[in-house]
Amino acid sequence: MGKILLVASGDNIAKYAYQLQSELNFPPDFEIINLHMEQALYYVRSLLKKEDGDIDVVIARGNTAKLLRDAKISAPVVTIPISDSEILAAVRQARESAAKEDPIVGYIGLQDVVSSVRHFLETLKIKARLYQANSSAEIEKSIIRAQREQVDVLIGGVYTCQILESIHVKHVLLESSLSSVREAYHRAREVQRNINLQRKRLQEKNTILNTAVNGVVSINESGIVTSINQVAADYLHTVPFKVAGKHFTELLGQEDSQPISSALSTGEKTPDFLIKRNGDLFLLSVNPILVNQKARGIVVSIQKQSSSKGSDRPAASFGDAIGQSEQARQILDTAREYSEWDLPVLLIGETGTGKRFWAECIHSASRRSSSPFVSIDCSMLSRHNQPSGRTLSRLLQSADGGTAYFAEIWRLPPEEQALMADFLEEKRMVLPDAGETVSADVRIIASSSRDLSEFAGSGRFNQSLYHTLNTLPLPLSSLRQRRADIPAFAQYAANRASSLHGKEISFSPEALEVLQNLSWEGNLDQLFSFCQRLTVLTRSSRINANFVRIQYGGNPFSCLQKDPETSPAILPTVQDTGISVAGRWISCSELCDLERHCGGNRTLMAEKLGVSRTTLWKHLKRLSSEGNMVFSQK
């Protein structure tokens, strides 16, 4: 906690301050100094520069307070007030000390006090000479001018009266009282409480930011970085205190800052984009903070995509493979053979069959094992595609010398499919819009949970790309097709969960038999998650069959009530059907999301898709007649 510093600027205020300090039983965070104007400013600045010079609030009066405030020191300044009664008493004292019938009374000081003094002088019908002065130099000039104008008595602060005393000019000290000092102190305490509250909120915010998995950067409407969590700072190789308060272009550079500049100016979310830092690849998501449809700030989320230096965990290898079934041995043998050849591999299997695991194994056993393994989520490219394949080219360049793994390649947009086909044939691609040629030495491993041969035959996937990727196909059996391996997978999952939660768990033979006979639509993903649940919830070191049945049974979503009025107007089916619009395949699920977003308005949907309302109506009518979906008629 910081302290409150009272700058007395004179013996009288210092006396009142020490008296107040005694009344308050000498609070340890209340410090008093007795310095004037420039001297006070120098002392306060030097104190604030020290590591232990933590000042929350400064209390001062008159020109000293104004000088500190104008210097924009890092602590707020509370001014000791001068009450009307104190001003009136000084004016009357000045008239009496003049010892003449019609004296001329002057005042040297701040503008706000000048106005109050003028009021009382006019009320008492006293001739006045008022001089506004904001510094010691201006005070000295005002004294010379007052002497020239034959002022009889001058009213002023401590510094003014010290000079007048030395040159034997009649003067009256305008000083604050103990009650004014007390009032300023209590105001300073209130300011300090607000500061501490803001600090607490900021600390809570920073704590939340620093516990986030992704990097987070907050930017205000002027483009200034207001906060950055430690994850983002580490990603961008900086430290938070060096970045806060600077323009975001200093953090990201001019080229990588364009999407943020666009979002600030338009208030619209820009597509996610990739940047590269020291061999690492990051996906940035730009989210405008809108107030009355205008961007009042930006929150940037940063997610690490890949690293040329390797990931935080060891890459998978063939030694990690589990399973003794015929299917397991066949997959392992084929993958080992494929690792020896520098050709494209196509991993084919349902969701959760370990496609990324096998891609890592092939890379780890290949001649490229010491180079980057870059994993690319094609759904990310589909949702947030940059024009002219810019994101795709950056991903391939980040994997130069290594392996690029394209997860769910069927989601790759048509334009990128054509570019990928050219790249696989010539190891380079030409970006259409920029005319730029991008080259990289990269081995491609792709995966798909959809039948690419069917997609290619119906025109939904580039045929040239399909045939090239299918050079080395590797089908991955589902758990339903290799039930003999389920016990080994289950015990492996339980061992891994046990090490995380400080337990030692095993399965009874009957429990393993139950697991073998269950339906695993989610394959290994579902089995591993379920075994983790069993490991965490069991109170025994040995899981029995009944416990497995209890945990597996029931539908946790049964608490959700089906409301026909709020159900979506377009219902996706299991089949991957949809429409082709402007060279891009739009799935039924994406159409479903779009209709919900547009409230079922066909005209608005057509505008979003860039087609006429009639064209959209024909597409939806065809899908409805094929039984793939039902839709409203708005």
Side-chain angles (χ1 to χ4, degrees):
M1 182 175 178
K3 57 191 171 188
I4 294 176
L5 176 66
L6 189 147
V7 182
S9 298
D11 293 340
N12 281 346
I13 295 295
K15 179 185 69 175
Y16 295 145
Y18 287 123
Q19 185 176 339
L20 175 64
Q21 191 179 47
S22 177
E23 289 178 5
L24 299 169
N25 199 21
F26 300 97
D29 62 341
F30 182 29
E31 182 178 320
I32 302 166
I33 62 168
N34 189 2
L35 294 172
H36 298 289
M37 290 184 292
E38 287 84 358
Q39 290 178 325
L41 175 60
Y42 177 81
Y43 176 86
V44 172
R45 276 179 168 168
S46 63
L47 192 61
L48 288 169
K49 288 179 181 178
K50 295 179 181 179
E51 290 186 5
D52 58 348
D54 189 10
I55 302 175
D56 283 342
V57 188
V58 176
I59 302 173
R61 72 159 300 259
N63 281 308
T64 300
K66 186 177 189 307
L67 190 63
L68 291 168
R69 193 177 289 111
D70 291 347
K72 300 187 185 305
I73 61 172
S74 57
V77 179
V78 171
T79 302
I80 300 172
I82 296 179
S83 66
D84 287 347
S85 61
E86 291 161 351
I87 295 174
L88 179 57
V91 169
R92 285 174 172 168
Q93 184 181 347
R95 182 177 61 181
E96 292 171 2
S97 64
K100 57 186 299 187
E101 274 294 319
D102 196 15
I104 300 175
V105 176
Y107 170 74
I108 300 174
L110 297 175
Q111 175 60 46
D112 55 346
V113 184
V114 165
S115 302
S116 298
V117 172
R118 175 186 288 112
H119 167 72
F120 286 110
L121 289 171
E122 290 176 350
T123 301
L124 298 174
K125 302 187 184 308
I126 299 172
K127 294 178 181 178
R129 295 288 188 272
L130 305 174
Y131 309 97
Q132 182 179 337
N134 300 318
S135 66
S136 57
E138 290 182 2
I139 289 174
E140 291 165 6
K141 289 180 181 179
S142 298
I143 290 174
I144 294 172
R145 184 180 169 188
Q147 287 180 302
R148 191 167 54 242
E149 295 179 352
Q150 299 182 342
V151 173
D152 296 306
V153 183
L154 278 169
I155 301 172
V158 174
Y159 183 76
T160 302
C161 290
Q162 285 178 348
I163 297 176
L164 295 173
E165 179 75 25
S166 66
I167 60 175
H168 307 291
V169 173
K170 288 183 178 181
H171 58 276
V172 172
L173 176 65
L174 177 55
E175 192 65 287
S176 300
S177 63
L178 173 60
S179 62
S180 296
V181 174
R182 190 181 290 114
E183 178 186 340
Y185 174 81
H186 290 302
R187 282 171 50 206
R189 279 295 181 202
E190 184 62 33
V191 171
Q192 187 185 48
R193 280 192 289 270
N194 290 331
I195 289 173
N196 289 331
L197 181 60
Q198 291 175 6
R199 284 176 179 162
K200 179 176 179 291
R201 289 172 178 170
L202 180 60
Q203 185 61 40
E204 290 173 348
K205 176 183 175 184
N206 288 337
T207 301
I208 292 170
L209 288 177
N210 286 325
T211 56
V213 176
N214 293 338
V216 181
V217 182
S218 298
I219 300 167
N220 67 17
E221 59 186 313
S222 300
I224 302 300
V225 176
T226 56
S227 64
I228 175 172
N229 72 348
Q230 192 60 52
V231 178
D234 291 343
Y235 284 168
L236 302 175
H237 298 277
T238 186
V239 289
F241 78 87
K242 287 186 177 180
V243 176
K246 293 186 177 180
H247 199 269
F248 66 85
T249 53
E250 295 185 48
L251 177 65
L252 297 173
Q254 290 290 342
E255 181 180 351
D256 291 333
S257 297
Q258 290 303 316
I260 298 175
S261 300
S262 175
L264 274 176
S265 61
T266 64
E268 296 180 0
K269 178 174 172 55
T270 57
D272 292 3
F273 64 101
L274 290 162
I275 65 172
K276 192 173 183 180
R277 291 292 186 276
N278 289 0
D280 298 338
L281 199 66
F282 302 96
L283 177 69
L284 271 65
S285 178
V286 180
N287 305 281
I289 301 171
L290 299 179
V291 179
N292 296 327
Q293 305 303 315
K294 291 185 178 180
R296 299 302 184 189
I298 295 287
V299 175
V300 181
S301 173
I302 307 176
Q303 182 179 1
K304 193 172 185 178
Q305 297 295 295
S306 65
S307 173
S308 60
K309 304 167 188 173
S311 63
D312 296 334
R313 61 175 179 82
S317 64
F318 290 128
D320 301 320
I322 300 172
Q324 298 298 320
S325 67
E326 179 61 32
Q327 296 96 324
R329 288 194 296 271
Q330 184 176 351
I331 292 170
L332 179 59
D333 292 342
T334 305
R336 277 180 170 153
E337 184 178 2
Y338 285 177
S339 68
E340 300 175 5
W341 303 98
D342 204 26
L343 294 169
V345 175
L346 180 60
L347 302 168
I348 306 163
E350 296 177 3
T351 299
T353 49
K355 295 187 283 294
R356 175 177 172 130
F357 168 82
W358 290 108
E360 286 188 9
C361 288
I362 293 170
H363 168 75
S364 297
S366 72
R367 66 174 182 83
R368 297 175 179 267
S369 59
S370 60
S371 297
F373 176 88
V374 177
S375 179
I376 300 161
D377 183 355
C378 292
S379 63
M380 179 270 293
L381 289 171
S382 175
R383 291 195 303 269
H384 308 297
N385 182 37
Q386 292 258 349
S388 308
R390 174 64 63 184
T391 299
L392 177 62
S393 67
R394 286 191 176 187
L395 286 164
L396 291 171
Q397 286 177 315
S398 71
D400 192 26
T403 303
Y405 168 58
F406 284 80
E408 300 298 347
I409 191 73
W410 62 275
R411 292 184 181 274
L412 198 64
E415 185 178 282
E416 272 61 30
Q417 291 177 25
L419 290 171
M420 273 291 293
D422 293 341
F423 179 81
L424 283 171
E425 184 176 346
E426 303 180 9
K427 294 294 182 183
R428 64 186 181 90
M429 67 172 67
V430 179
L431 303 183
D433 293 346
E436 177 186 352
T437 300
V438 175
S439 59
D441 175 25
V442 181
R443 182 186 190 179
I444 303 298
I445 299 178
S447 70
S448 178
S449 59
R450 298 291 191 272
D451 188 341
L452 288 186
S453 63
E454 180 183 326
F455 276 35
S458 63
R460 285 180 279 168
F461 195 81
N462 186 288
Q463 286 199 7
S464 175
L465 177 58
Y466 162 66
H467 291 302
T468 306
L469 290 174
N470 202 34
T471 303
L472 299 177
L474 179 56
L476 302 177
S477 306
S478 68
L479 277 183
R480 297 183 302 280
Q481 298 167 319
R482 47 187 296 197
R483 294 186 181 276
D485 292 325
I486 289 178
F489 281 125
Q491 191 57 60
Y492 169 80
N495 291 342
R496 190 170 64 174
S498 296
S499 64
L500 290 174
H501 303 291
K503 293 185 173 184
E504 190 172 337
I505 302 298
S506 63
F507 290 94
S508 70
E510 295 79 13
L512 292 175
E513 185 178 352
V514 172
L515 289 172
Q516 280 183 288
N517 292 318
L518 292 174
S519 175
W520 299 106
E521 292 85 356
N523 294 291
L524 289 173
D525 288 349
Q526 183 185 5
L527 176 63
F528 285 179
S529 296
F530 180 66
C531 289
Q532 185 173 42
R533 184 200 309 172
L534 295 175
T535 303
V536 170
L537 296 182
T538 184
R539 296 183 179 180
S540 171
S541 61
R542 192 169 180 83
I543 296 174
N544 60 38
N546 189 49
F547 187 69
V548 172
R549 293 189 189 96
I550 291 172
Q551 293 301 324
Y552 190 86
N555 178 14
F557 296 97
S558 60
C559 62
L560 300 178
Q561 297 296 321
K562 304 296 183 182
D563 186 353
E565 294 183 4
T566 60
S567 59
I570 298 179
L571 301 176
T573 66
V574 175
Q575 297 177 345
D576 189 80
T577 56
I579 63 176
S580 179
V581 175
R584 181 191 170 195
W585 182 255
I586 309 295
S587 68
C588 290
S589 60
E590 289 175 305
L591 285 171
C592 175
D593 290 340
L594 179 61
E595 184 180 60
R596 283 198 296 268
H597 177 73
C598 297
N601 189 308
R602 293 284 165 266
T603 302
L604 185 56
M605 285 181 66
E607 290 177 0
K608 295 285 186 182
L609 292 171
V611 299
S612 67
R613 192 179 190 281
T614 302
T615 300
L616 175 63
W617 182 83
K618 289 179 179 178
H619 280 306
L620 297 181
K621 184 178 180 182
R622 174 181 61 79
L623 291 172
S624 179
S625 65
E626 293 173 355
N628 292 315
M629 62 173 63
V630 294
F631 56 92
S632 64
Q633 300 292 329
K634 292 184 181 179

